[in-house]
């Protein structure tokens, strides 16, 4: 039926000549030109030259470094660790963040989103972990935290297929709101960096710090305006270098830390003791992972729109599995819960560099920073106000991306308009009034004090209420941007 057909001619020579004529290659046409050219890879799968991979990867490190080291610094100080143990804790955070980023970008089996998705230490777990420290006897806090993280990470891994089905609840009216909130919720981080990073410091909020942040922002804007090609796309990294050089004469850089850290350090599993399993700590970490999964889902959807590869159910499932697996691994190697870093999404939106191998390179660099603490100390030389100036551009880009997504949400309909308005209100509340939920149970505080989680939950609920629950026949469901584009054609 489907195989080749053969016709026999009495004249064998004629048959042979016909066959040769059909199969002969014209001498004037090279054989290679007859082979169809393979299609160009999607920008997400593009493998750039090593120098560009390293330069772009270092930009991601600069954008996320402070966020990775802050949680272990806070928890380690609260536990009362020595300077050597604190260095070990920070190194473990960098190492596990790098491993989690590699798992997300390169993937293993059905683990990983295979998008330029940066993973780091979740800030959502800081407050619950501080509560565990207060309730634990000396020397028992970290084992209790790591035991709870083992359970929570495994639960997130197993729940990923079910949780990923929530994708249908994220049309443009929801995803655009959440992307906008991701940017807005990061502005306080940029403001804190711009003021100096440490509220207890004598010069916190000084004119010098804020001026340095402004100079860095101006340098980034000027470089982005006048540079083209490769140099233009690393304007953030160049701005950080220029800002750091400007800060040296004013004494804003501290090179003393370079001589106080070991050159190389191998992680030792369960360095702080065998994990213990306390019900209260486990419940707290399960809530943290639920919040982290909600944020990661929103971040995956935002990233998918930015890189023009929308995150489908399987992509979200792989991304959430990576979060769970990385959290289990982090608990074994003295790290903390892993989740998405929204500031790096802003970097991708600003530079337009969408290759996941760039982010994988940053993961390799993070691993090296974890294994070679002295290298991590070099990165930490960048002053906080310099990071703050660059952060204003990065986080503002995320907010603008969310607003762009909302343009496809048909805000002329009152239901969609109210969904955005109320969800933004709930998302901004923890920023405008940090103590708004101070008298609520800890469970409510954990969820609602995250502006991203609060706004995401409210946006999903209101979208279901206005557009799905008992929807009238004359009201259409909001279209996804890609569906609208196909309909237009």
């Amino acid at each position: 039926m489907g195989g080749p057909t053969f016709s026999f001619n009495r004249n064998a020579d004629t048959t042979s000549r016909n066959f040769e004529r059909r199969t002969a290659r014209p001498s004037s046409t090279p054989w290679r030109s007859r082979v169809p050219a393979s299609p160009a890879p999607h920008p997400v799968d593009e493998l750039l030259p090593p120098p560009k991979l390293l330069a772009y990867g270092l930009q991601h490190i600069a954008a996320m470094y402070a966020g990775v080291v802050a949680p272990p610094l806070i928890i380690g100080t609260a536990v009362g660790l020595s300077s050597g143990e604190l260095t070990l804790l920070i190194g473990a955070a960098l190492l596990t963040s790098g491993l989690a980023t590699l798992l997300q970008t390169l993937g293993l089996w059905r683990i990983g989103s295979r998008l330029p998705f940066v993973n780091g230490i979740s800030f959502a777990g800081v407050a619950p972990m501080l509560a565990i420290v207060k309730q634990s006897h000396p020397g028992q806090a970290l084992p209790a935290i790591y035991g709870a993280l083992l359970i929570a990470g495994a639960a997130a891994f197993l729940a990923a297929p079910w949780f990923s089905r929530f994708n249908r609840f994220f049309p443009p009216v929801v995803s655009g709101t959440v992307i906008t909130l991701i940017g807005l919720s990061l502005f306080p981080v940029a403001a804190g960096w711009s003021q100096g990073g440490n509220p207890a410091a004598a010069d916190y909020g000084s004119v010098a710090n804020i001026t340095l942040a402004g100079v860095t922002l101006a340098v980034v804007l000027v470089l982005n305006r006048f540079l083209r090609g490769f140099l233009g796309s690393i304007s953030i990294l160049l701005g950080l270098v220029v800002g750091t050089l400007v800060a040296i004469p004013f004494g804003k850089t501290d090179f003393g830390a370079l001589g106080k850290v070991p050159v190389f350090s191998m992680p030792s599993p369960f360095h702080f003791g065998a994990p213990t399993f306390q019900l209260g700590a486990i419940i707290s970490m399960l809530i943290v992972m639920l919040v982290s999964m909600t944020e990661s889902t929103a971040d995956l959807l935002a990233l998918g729109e930015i890189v023009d590869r929308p995150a489908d159910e399987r992509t979200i499932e792989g991304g959430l599995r990576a979060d769970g697996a990385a959290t289990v691994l982090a608990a074994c190697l003295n790290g903390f819960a892993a989740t998405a870093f929204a500031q790096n999404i802003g970097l991708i939106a600003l530079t337009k560099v969408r290759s996941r191998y760039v982010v994988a390179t940053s993961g390799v660099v993070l691993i090296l920073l974890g294994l070679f603490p002295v290298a991590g100390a070099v990165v930490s030389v960048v002053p906080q106000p310099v990071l703050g100036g660059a952060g204003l551009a990065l986080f503002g880009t995320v907010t603008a991306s969310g607003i762009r997504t909302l343009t496809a949400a048909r805000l002329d309909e009152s239901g969609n308009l109210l969904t955005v308005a109320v969800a933004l209100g709930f998302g901004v509340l923890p920023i405008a009034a940090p103590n708004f939920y101070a008298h609520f149970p800890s469970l409510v505080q954990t969820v609602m004090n995250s502006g991203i989680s609060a706004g995401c939950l409210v946006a999903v609920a209101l979208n279901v209420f206005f557009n799905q629950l008992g929807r009238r026949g004359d009201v259409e469901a909001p279209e996804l941007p890609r569906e609208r584009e196909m309909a237009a054609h």
Side-chain angles (χ1 to χ4, degrees):
M1 294 288 292
T5 59
F6 299 93
S7 61
F8 294 92
N9 193 304
R10 292 180 181 179
N11 190 333
D13 292 338
T14 303
T15 302
S16 177
R17 286 194 297 270
N18 291 338
F19 178 77
E20 291 173 358
R21 187 180 301 114
R22 289 194 302 266
T23 59
R25 298 192 301 269
S27 58
S28 60
T29 304
W31 173 249
R32 292 188 180 182
S33 67
R34 295 169 60 86
V35 178
S38 58
H42 190 282
V44 169
D45 299 320
E46 183 181 5
L47 184 59
L48 303 177
K52 291 186 177 182
L53 287 176
L54 182 59
Y56 293 142
L58 289 176
Q59 282 195 138
H60 282 285
I61 299 295
M64 71 178 298
Y65 184 84
V68 171
V69 302
L73 185 62
I74 296 170
I75 301 301
T77 303
V79 173
L81 298 181
S82 64
S83 59
E85 290 178 322
L86 196 58
T87 300
L88 185 150
L89 200 66
I90 293 174
L94 292 167
L95 174 66
T96 53
S97 294
L99 293 172
T101 299
L102 285 180
L103 194 58
Q104 281 285 9
T105 53
L106 303 182
L108 178 66
W109 181 57
R110 298 184 66 178
I111 304 174
S113 62
R114 292 172 174 81
L115 289 174
F117 200 53
V118 177
N119 266 45
I121 305 302
S122 173
F123 264 99
V126 171
M129 285 190 286
L130 288 176
I132 294 173
V133 171
K134 292 180 181 179
Q135 298 167 4
S136 301
H137 295 292
Q140 297 181 5
L142 287 176
I145 289 173
Y146 291 136
L149 284 176
L150 283 172
I151 300 297
F157 184 90
L158 296 175
W162 170 79
F163 202 90
S164 65
R165 296 172 188 168
F166 285 173
N167 187 24
R168 65 183 184 274
F169 295 110
F170 287 85
V173 68
V174 175
S175 60
T177 302
V178 174
I179 297 169
T180 303
L181 281 174
I182 290 172
L184 292 176
S185 66
L186 290 170
F187 275 118
V189 177
W193 288 347
S194 299
Q195 294 177 88
N198 182 12
D203 64 343
Y204 183 76
S206 65
V207 174
N209 284 343
I210 296 176
T211 301
L212 181 58
V215 169
T216 303
L217 176 60
V219 169
V220 169
L221 294 175
V222 170
L223 292 176
N224 191 267
R225 169 64 179 83
F226 292 104
L227 295 181
R228 293 291 181 267
F230 172 70
L231 292 177
S233 59
I234 62 169
S235 59
I236 295 293
L237 180 61
L238 295 176
L240 292 173
V241 172
V242 173
T244 302
L245 293 176
V246 171
I248 293 176
F250 300 96
K252 296 296 182 180
T253 53
D254 181 14
F255 294 95
L258 297 179
K260 300 178 182 178
V261 294
V263 175
F264 180 79
S265 177
M266 278 294 292
S268 55
F270 301 118
H271 176 83
F272 298 98
T276 60
F277 302 96
Q278 301 177 8
L279 182 60
I282 291 172
I283 293 174
S284 295
M285 290 300 103
L286 285 172
I287 295 171
V288 168
M289 285 308 300
L290 181 63
V291 172
S292 297
M293 291 172 76
T294 303
E295 292 186 358
S296 288
T297 299
D299 289 339
L300 279 167
L301 291 166
L303 182 60
E305 292 294 328
I306 289 172
V307 302
D308 195 29
R309 179 179 280 180
D312 56 15
E313 185 175 311
R314 185 161 183 172
T315 301
I316 295 174
E317 177 184 335
L320 296 180
R321 274 203 177 112
D323 281 359
T327 298
V328 171
L329 181 63
C332 297
L333 297 179
N334 316 299
F336 298 105
T339 190
F341 264 45
Q343 55 262 49
N344 293 82
I345 297 176
L347 182 58
I348 293 170
L350 185 64
T351 63
K352 303 295 190 298
V353 178
R354 296 177 278 177
S355 172
R356 60 191 174 105
Y357 297 106
V358 166
V359 175
T361 301
S362 70
V364 173
V365 175
L366 283 171
I367 293 174
L368 293 176
L369 293 177
L371 294 176
F372 294 89
V374 66
V378 172
V379 178
S380 67
V381 167
V382 179
Q384 294 285 297
V386 173
L387 286 174
L392 286 173
L394 291 175
F395 306 155
T397 305
V398 177
T399 305
S401 297
I403 295 172
R404 182 179 59 188
T405 302
L406 284 173
T407 59
R410 296 191 299 189
L411 295 184
D412 54 324
E413 296 181 2
S414 60
N416 286 345
L417 186 63
L418 284 173
T419 297
V420 175
V422 177
L424 286 176
F426 272 88
V428 172
L429 267 180
I431 303 173
N435 297 320
F436 190 82
Y437 300 104
H439 299 291
F440 282 74
S442 58
L443 171 61
V444 176
Q445 291 187 46
T446 300
V447 176
M448 300 303 290
N449 276 335
S450 168
I452 299 173
S453 296
C456 180
L457 293 175
V458 171
V460 168
L462 290 180
N463 175 64
V464 171
F465 176 72
F466 283 114
N467 294 315
Q468 298 181 23
L469 184 64
R471 191 179 61 202
R472 295 187 300 271
D474 58 337
V475 179
E476 298 179 358
E479 294 176 316
L480 294 175
R482 197 163 289 267
E483 293 173 345
R484 178 172 296 181
E485 181 181 348
M486 292 175 64
H489 290 287

